[in-house]
Amino acid sequence: MSSGRALSPVLLVGAGTGEATCGILYLASYLRRGGIEAFVRLWDGDESAGEVTQSFERLIARVRPKLIGISLKWFHHVDRALLIARTIRKIDPSIRIVVGGNSASYWWKELSGYDCIDHVILGDGEVPLLALCNGEEAPPNVVTRTPDGRPRRLPLAYVQRATNTQDVYYSHFNELFLSQMDAH
């Protein structure tokens, strides 16, 4: 069942650098093939909280995202992911903020307690993120904060079929990147 409210465009960013963020390329490609306008920011040279704020003010003004996904692959990126989420929430409280990745899946209960995080995706993110973007009321493998602030976790309902699935591949490279730094 769908509420008919697509969360598009989408901006996907990493809480870390390097290979820890390359999964968002698959996600953005999958979203594009599913009819969602998605962009990625891989390169992140922001070092201070002020630089993060300036960077996201520019990104949000340029993309006007309805949803921002933060890749939280490794535990040592949690602080950065929370900084990004808090910054986004201050800039535009209407943007839905989603975290996903290995560490997000493991610490979903703790992360869903933060008021700057709306959803946590558990496990592989392609199908759950597309369902969330399409406004489905109960997207699979997504923990959602309820209006009273408590996490709502439905039973796990989606497992990616295989690592060589035909649905998971890079596409739309000419449309995903917001910067030449990312393309390189």
Side-chain angles (χ1 to χ4, degrees):
M1 180 179 254
S2 173
S3 69
R5 187 177 139 232
L7 295 173
S8 179
V10 169
L11 175 62
L12 301 177
V13 300
T17 57
E19 290 183 30
T21 63
C22 67
I24 63 176
L25 291 174
Y26 286 112
L27 291 171
S29 297
Y30 189 85
L31 292 177
R32 285 270 177 168
R33 292 191 306 274
I36 302 295
E37 186 178 18
F39 300 95
V40 297
R41 186 197 58 183
L42 295 177
W43 183 81
D44 177 0
D46 303 333
E47 294 186 18
S48 69
E51 288 173 325
V52 169
T53 299
Q54 290 175 354
S55 177
F56 274 91
E57 286 173 342
R58 286 190 304 271
L59 283 169
I60 290 168
R62 181 175 176 192
V63 175
R64 302 261 184 239
K66 294 199 175 27
L67 181 145
I68 294 180
I70 303 169
S71 174
L72 182 50
K73 177 116 176 111
W74 304 114
F75 177 74
H76 63 278
H77 296 141
V78 170
D79 186 57
R80 180 118 179 132
L82 290 172
L83 170 65
I84 291 169
R86 287 181 184 119
T87 300
I88 294 164
R89 183 65 80 220
K90 286 178 187 171
I91 294 169
D92 186 343
S94 71
I95 295 173
R96 305 302 296 169
I97 301 171
V98 180
V99 294
N102 296 17
S103 290
S105 295
Y106 189 80
W107 282 287
W108 68 268
K109 193 170 189 175
E110 292 81 0
L111 290 167
S112 63
Y114 287 92
D115 62 0
C116 58
I117 295 174
D118 299 306
H119 310 281
V120 180
I121 292 180
L122 308 176
D124 293 317
E126 289 82 2
V127 169
L129 186 56
L130 181 59
L132 189 61
C133 290
N134 281 329
E136 292 185 18
E137 291 180 28
N141 300 12
V142 175
V143 177
T144 299
R145 285 173 24 91
T146 61
D148 64 3
R150 290 184 294 154
R152 179 184 68 147
R153 180 179 179 227
L154 301 173
L156 296 180
Y158 165 74
V159 177
Q160 196 154 292
R161 292 179 298 230
T163 55
N164 64 350
T165 179
Q166 293 181 352
D167 292 336
V168 181
Y169 59 90
Y170 294 133
S171 66
H172 297 85
F173 267 19
N174 293 333
E175 296 140 6
L176 296 177
F177 299 113
L178 296 168
S179 157
Q180 285 300 332
M181 292 294 289
D182 287 333
H184 292 294

